[in-house]
Short mmCIF file of all heavy atoms in Angstrom, two decimals:
data_model
loop_
_atom_site.label_atom_id
_atom_site.label_comp_id
_atom_site.label_asym_id
_atom_site.label_seq_id
_atom_site.Cartn_x
_atom_site.Cartn_y
_atom_site.Cartn_z
N PRO G 123 -5.60 -70.92 79.94
CA PRO G 123 -5.63 -72.28 80.43
C PRO G 123 -5.40 -73.26 79.28
O PRO G 123 -5.65 -72.96 78.13
CB PRO G 123 -7.01 -72.48 81.04
CG PRO G 123 -7.82 -71.36 80.57
CD PRO G 123 -6.89 -70.25 80.14
N TRP G 124 -4.94 -74.44 79.65
CA TRP G 124 -4.66 -75.49 78.69
C TRP G 124 -5.79 -76.53 78.70
O TRP G 124 -6.23 -76.91 79.73
CB TRP G 124 -3.33 -76.14 79.05
CG TRP G 124 -2.82 -77.11 78.10
CD1 TRP G 124 -2.73 -78.46 78.14
CD2 TRP G 124 -2.24 -76.77 76.83
NE1 TRP G 124 -2.20 -79.00 77.06
CE2 TRP G 124 -1.87 -77.99 76.21
CE3 TRP G 124 -2.04 -75.60 76.14
CZ2 TRP G 124 -1.32 -78.04 74.94
CZ3 TRP G 124 -1.48 -75.64 74.86
CH2 TRP G 124 -1.13 -76.87 74.31
N ASP G 125 -6.25 -76.89 77.52
CA ASP G 125 -7.28 -77.93 77.44
C ASP G 125 -6.61 -79.30 77.38
O ASP G 125 -6.07 -79.70 76.39
CB ASP G 125 -8.19 -77.75 76.19
CG ASP G 125 -9.36 -78.73 76.20
OD1 ASP G 125 -9.13 -79.87 76.67
OD2 ASP G 125 -10.42 -78.33 75.75
N GLU G 126 -6.59 -79.98 78.57
CA GLU G 126 -5.86 -81.26 78.66
C GLU G 126 -6.36 -82.26 77.60
O GLU G 126 -5.61 -83.02 77.01
CB GLU G 126 -6.04 -81.87 80.05
CG GLU G 126 -5.59 -80.97 81.17
CD GLU G 126 -4.02 -80.96 81.38
OE1 GLU G 126 -3.40 -81.83 80.70
OE2 GLU G 126 -3.48 -80.05 82.06
N LYS G 127 -7.69 -82.21 77.36
CA LYS G 127 -8.25 -83.24 76.48
C LYS G 127 -7.73 -83.06 75.05
O LYS G 127 -7.16 -83.92 74.44
CB LYS G 127 -9.78 -83.17 76.50
CG LYS G 127 -10.40 -84.03 77.57
CD LYS G 127 -11.85 -84.44 77.27
CE LYS G 127 -12.88 -83.75 78.24
NZ LYS G 127 -12.96 -82.33 78.21
N THR G 128 -7.88 -81.81 74.51
CA THR G 128 -7.51 -81.58 73.12
C THR G 128 -6.04 -81.24 72.98
O THR G 128 -5.49 -81.21 71.87
CB THR G 128 -8.32 -80.41 72.53
OG1 THR G 128 -8.00 -79.24 73.31
CG2 THR G 128 -9.80 -80.68 72.60
N GLY G 129 -5.38 -80.96 74.10
CA GLY G 129 -3.94 -80.61 74.02
C GLY G 129 -3.76 -79.30 73.28
O GLY G 129 -2.78 -79.08 72.55
N THR G 130 -4.70 -78.41 73.45
CA THR G 130 -4.54 -77.06 72.82
C THR G 130 -4.90 -75.97 73.85
O THR G 130 -5.56 -76.25 74.85
CB THR G 130 -5.47 -76.90 71.62
OG1 THR G 130 -6.80 -77.18 72.05
CG2 THR G 130 -5.07 -77.84 70.48
N LEU G 131 -4.53 -74.78 73.54
CA LEU G 131 -4.85 -73.64 74.45
C LEU G 131 -6.32 -73.34 74.34
O LEU G 131 -6.91 -73.48 73.29
CB LEU G 131 -4.07 -72.38 73.95
CG LEU G 131 -2.59 -72.25 74.37
CD1 LEU G 131 -1.98 -71.04 73.64
CD2 LEU G 131 -2.50 -72.11 75.86
N ARG G 132 -6.94 -72.91 75.43
CA ARG G 132 -8.40 -72.53 75.41
C ARG G 132 -8.53 -71.12 74.81
O ARG G 132 -8.80 -70.14 75.50
CB ARG G 132 -8.96 -72.59 76.83
CG ARG G 132 -9.10 -73.96 77.42
CD ARG G 132 -10.19 -74.77 76.69
NE ARG G 132 -11.44 -74.09 76.57
CZ ARG G 132 -12.36 -73.97 77.54
NH1 ARG G 132 -12.15 -74.59 78.75
NH2 ARG G 132 -13.46 -73.33 77.39
N ARG G 133 -8.31 -71.07 73.47
CA ARG G 133 -8.33 -69.79 72.79
C ARG G 133 -9.70 -69.10 72.87
O ARG G 133 -9.85 -67.93 72.77
CB ARG G 133 -7.93 -69.94 71.30
CG ARG G 133 -6.48 -70.38 71.17
CD ARG G 133 -6.14 -70.67 69.69
NE ARG G 133 -4.82 -71.27 69.61
CZ ARG G 133 -3.63 -70.58 69.61
NH1 ARG G 133 -3.69 -69.30 69.71
NH2 ARG G 133 -2.51 -71.21 69.55
N ASP G 134 -10.77 -69.96 73.09
CA ASP G 134 -12.11 -69.39 73.13
C ASP G 134 -12.33 -68.56 74.38
O ASP G 134 -13.28 -67.81 74.48
CB ASP G 134 -13.13 -70.56 73.14
CG ASP G 134 -12.87 -71.56 74.30
OD1 ASP G 134 -11.65 -71.92 74.43
OD2 ASP G 134 -13.75 -71.87 75.04
N LEU G 135 -11.37 -68.62 75.34
CA LEU G 135 -11.54 -67.85 76.58
C LEU G 135 -10.97 -66.47 76.50
O LEU G 135 -10.96 -65.71 77.48
CB LEU G 135 -10.89 -68.65 77.75
CG LEU G 135 -11.56 -70.00 78.11
CD1 LEU G 135 -10.81 -70.64 79.24
CD2 LEU G 135 -13.02 -69.77 78.42
N ALA G 136 -10.41 -66.13 75.36
CA ALA G 136 -9.78 -64.82 75.29
C ALA G 136 -10.18 -64.18 73.91
O ALA G 136 -10.27 -64.91 72.94
CB ALA G 136 -8.29 -64.89 75.41
N ALA G 137 -10.25 -62.87 73.92
CA ALA G 137 -10.48 -62.19 72.65
C ALA G 137 -9.22 -62.40 71.80
O ALA G 137 -8.12 -62.63 72.34
CB ALA G 137 -10.71 -60.71 72.89
N GLY G 138 -9.37 -62.39 70.49
CA GLY G 138 -8.25 -62.57 69.61
C GLY G 138 -7.75 -61.22 69.03
O GLY G 138 -8.50 -60.24 69.10
N MET G 139 -6.58 -61.18 68.55
CA MET G 139 -6.06 -59.98 67.91
C MET G 139 -5.09 -60.39 66.80
O MET G 139 -4.61 -61.55 66.81
CB MET G 139 -5.31 -59.10 68.94
CG MET G 139 -4.03 -59.72 69.49
SD MET G 139 -3.19 -58.59 70.61
CE MET G 139 -1.71 -59.57 70.86
N MET G 140 -4.77 -59.51 65.93
CA MET G 140 -3.79 -59.88 64.88
C MET G 140 -2.39 -59.92 65.54
O MET G 140 -2.06 -59.02 66.31
CB MET G 140 -3.76 -58.81 63.74
CG MET G 140 -2.97 -59.37 62.52
SD MET G 140 -2.68 -58.17 61.22
CE MET G 140 -4.25 -57.50 60.84
N ASN G 141 -1.68 -61.03 65.29
CA ASN G 141 -0.31 -61.16 65.86
C ASN G 141 0.50 -59.90 65.51
O ASN G 141 0.54 -59.51 64.37
CB ASN G 141 0.34 -62.43 65.24
CG ASN G 141 1.79 -62.56 65.68
OD1 ASN G 141 2.08 -62.47 66.87
ND2 ASN G 141 2.66 -62.69 64.70
#
Side-chain angles (χ1 to χ4, degrees):
W124 187 251
D125 185 325
E126 303 282 349
K127 271 204 247 64
T128 61
T130 55
L131 280 174
R132 289 292 310 278
R133 294 176 190 276
D134 56 312
L135 294 179
M139 65 178 187
M140 193 188 308
N141 174 51

